[in-house]
Amino acid sequence: MNTHFHTFEIPDQKKFSTLKKSIDRERSKAVNKRIKEQPFMTDMEYISGAFLEMYEPYLKDVVCRLFEKGYAIETSSGFNNIKSQYQSLDGNFVIDYVTRNKLDKKDIKIREKDGFKSLVYWAENLDLDFIKQKWMKIIDILPDKGKLTMPSASPKAVLFRRKHISNNPKLQRQRLLEQLEFKIRTAMDKNVKKRKKINPHPNNIETRLGIFIEELQLQVRQAVLEMNRKGYSTDLSGFVNNSCDQMIEGDFQLDEKIINKLRLLGINVESNPSGYTRLQFSPKEADLGNIKKQWNKIVALLPTGKKTADISMTKKSREFRMKYC
């Protein structure tokens, strides 16, 4: 593609709009070709949440360089759709005061866009090589957080991973777990809405938990209720921070013998000085039944306490009781 467009004899804004349309056509062709010839995503594409071809073509090197420094950007990056002469990188940028000042000296502004922070500047000319090199210089200013390893959690990235497949067995497993989490959360949201409409009055157990039973994810519901019956106060459970991990945490303590038995099952047990404890494991496969069985094995090892479980005191739980009790 010819990256120099200095021969246009029309207003600048129209020149950039014309260039934007040309880039979008090229990108569309590249994406269709990629999906047809190589539908599997690379490890980098899995983490970033997009095929490289989904970005404006001149941004490919920019995307790769950002990835090496620990940043993922959205495919909406590049020429602004409203005023094409604006260039933007859209992502979850955490900009400290020093970096912000350095960017400001380069006439780079920080804007909120669609829930993301965007780095924005006004392009001086139509030379795509010039635009790319300017972005490279800007990337040099950003703190190096190390190569990106955590998958982007943006809605578009999550949707991309549900739709496309990786050749990497580890990432295939992660994708299946993400799909399982989506199905469970979708069903849960539907059931919670129905429950609130039909019977918004919590029972004693729900009052202690600070949530409706329907808000407990299906794979961990039985385990949480059994722990509560045995006297263990729980706050969070199920898929929480990562689709690959299962956890239950709350204000309870376990003795060393029980902890050792749990660790033999492959359960990670973490406690802070105040006794707040988290039980966590990584399922080998995205199988709802097997995850349930693992939780049931874990809870079966826990001895029954001598007192009723304390009420959950998280902010969400307190707000639940204020609203429904």
Side-chain angles (χ1 to χ4, degrees):
M1 177 181 177
N2 182 0
T3 61
H4 301 277
F5 285 75
H6 296 295
T7 59
F8 283 62
E9 294 182 359
I10 45 180
D12 284 348
Q13 187 58 54
K14 191 170 182 180
K15 291 180 183 179
F16 277 93
S17 296
T18 301
L19 177 56
K20 166 68 173 170
K21 290 176 182 177
S22 174
I23 288 172
D24 285 345
R25 286 194 296 270
E26 181 180 345
R27 173 166 54 176
S28 180
K29 290 178 182 178
V31 170
N32 291 334
K33 182 179 180 182
R34 167 63 190 272
I35 292 173
K36 183 178 180 180
E37 296 181 356
Q38 178 50 275
F40 297 101
M41 50 187 160
T42 65
D43 291 3
M44 174 188 162
E45 290 169 334
Y46 180 92
I47 293 170
S48 298
F51 289 128
L52 268 178
E53 288 79 4
M54 290 178 171
Y55 296 94
E56 294 184 351
Y58 67 98
L59 283 180
K60 287 184 180 180
D61 291 340
V62 173
V63 173
C64 293
R65 178 69 182 123
L66 281 166
F67 182 84
E68 293 297 322
K69 293 196 73 170
Y71 302 90
I73 61 171
E74 294 290 291
T75 54
S76 58
S77 299
F79 284 95
N80 188 282
N81 285 323
I82 300 173
K83 291 187 177 180
S84 298
Q85 203 162 344
Y86 277 111
Q87 279 282 307
S88 69
L89 294 183
D90 308 326
N92 287 316
F93 294 101
V94 179
I95 307 297
D96 58 37
Y97 180 76
V98 174
T99 305
R100 184 182 290 266
N101 282 342
K102 290 180 179 178
L103 291 171
D104 191 56
K105 289 177 182 178
K106 297 288 185 181
D107 294 322
I108 307 302
K109 306 302 178 185
I110 301 171
R111 299 283 185 266
E112 293 284 343
K113 180 181 179 182
D114 299 330
F116 297 95
K117 277 191 172 67
S118 297
L119 306 183
V120 180
Y121 79 90
W122 183 262
E124 292 93 342
N125 58 53
L126 287 160
D127 187 335
L128 295 182
D129 288 333
F130 175 87
I131 292 173
K132 183 177 79 171
Q133 291 308 315
K134 179 154 185 173
W135 278 130
M136 288 298 197
K137 291 176 183 177
I138 292 166
I139 292 170
D140 288 339
I141 296 173
L142 299 177
D144 192 338
K145 301 191 296 182
K147 189 174 181 178
L148 198 63
T149 56
M150 287 297 294
S152 169
S154 77
K156 285 184 179 179
V158 172
L159 184 61
F160 171 81
R161 287 191 292 271
R162 287 197 201 114
K163 187 176 181 180
H164 300 285
I165 304 172
S166 168
N167 270 328
N168 185 327
K170 181 180 178 181
L171 296 182
Q172 288 177 356
R173 167 182 165 272
Q174 188 164 332
R175 174 178 178 268
L176 291 173
L177 284 165
E178 285 181 345
Q179 291 177 327
L180 177 62
E181 179 182 8
F182 176 74
K183 290 178 182 177
I184 289 172
R185 288 191 182 277
T186 300
M188 182 181 72
D189 290 343
K190 181 180 179 180
N191 290 332
V192 170
K193 287 179 182 178
K194 183 178 179 180
R195 167 63 191 275
K196 288 179 179 178
K197 184 177 180 180
I198 296 174
N199 177 23
H201 306 292
N203 58 32
N204 290 336
I205 293 177
E206 291 171 328
T207 299
R208 285 201 299 272
L209 292 171
I211 55 174
F212 291 115
I213 287 175
E214 287 81 0
E215 291 181 90
L216 291 169
Q217 295 172 25
L218 187 58
Q219 80 282 7
V220 76
R221 183 178 300 169
Q222 183 179 343
V224 170
L225 294 176
E226 180 64 11
M227 284 183 69
N228 187 271
R229 187 191 69 78
K230 286 186 170 187
Y232 299 89
S233 174
T234 60
D235 293 331
L236 294 172
S237 61
F239 294 103
V240 179
N241 299 319
N242 188 326
S243 296
C244 289
D245 296 328
Q246 286 286 303
M247 59 90 84
I248 293 178
E249 68 177 27
D251 194 10
F252 60 86
Q253 294 177 295
L254 302 173
D255 65 38
E256 202 60 34
K257 288 184 179 179
I258 298 299
I259 291 174
N260 288 335
K261 288 181 180 180
L262 289 170
R263 285 175 175 162
L264 288 175
L265 286 178
I267 312 306
N268 183 39
V269 183
E270 297 179 359
S271 294
N272 65 20
S274 67
Y276 195 88
T277 300
R278 171 183 289 183
L279 308 177
Q280 183 170 308
F281 69 92
S282 298
K284 293 181 180 179
E285 57 185 347
D287 187 298
L288 179 64
N290 287 340
I291 295 173
K292 280 184 181 179
K293 288 178 183 177
Q294 182 74 334
W295 275 124
N296 291 339
K297 286 180 183 178
I298 293 167
V299 177
L301 291 174
L302 305 183
T304 301
K306 297 179 180 180
K307 64 175 185 176
T308 303
D310 293 329
I311 62 174
S312 173
M313 291 302 293
T314 64
K315 180 181 178 182
K316 181 180 177 181
S317 298
R318 295 196 304 271
E319 290 175 347
F320 173 87
R321 285 189 287 269
M322 288 177 65
K323 184 174 182 179
Y324 295 107
C325 296

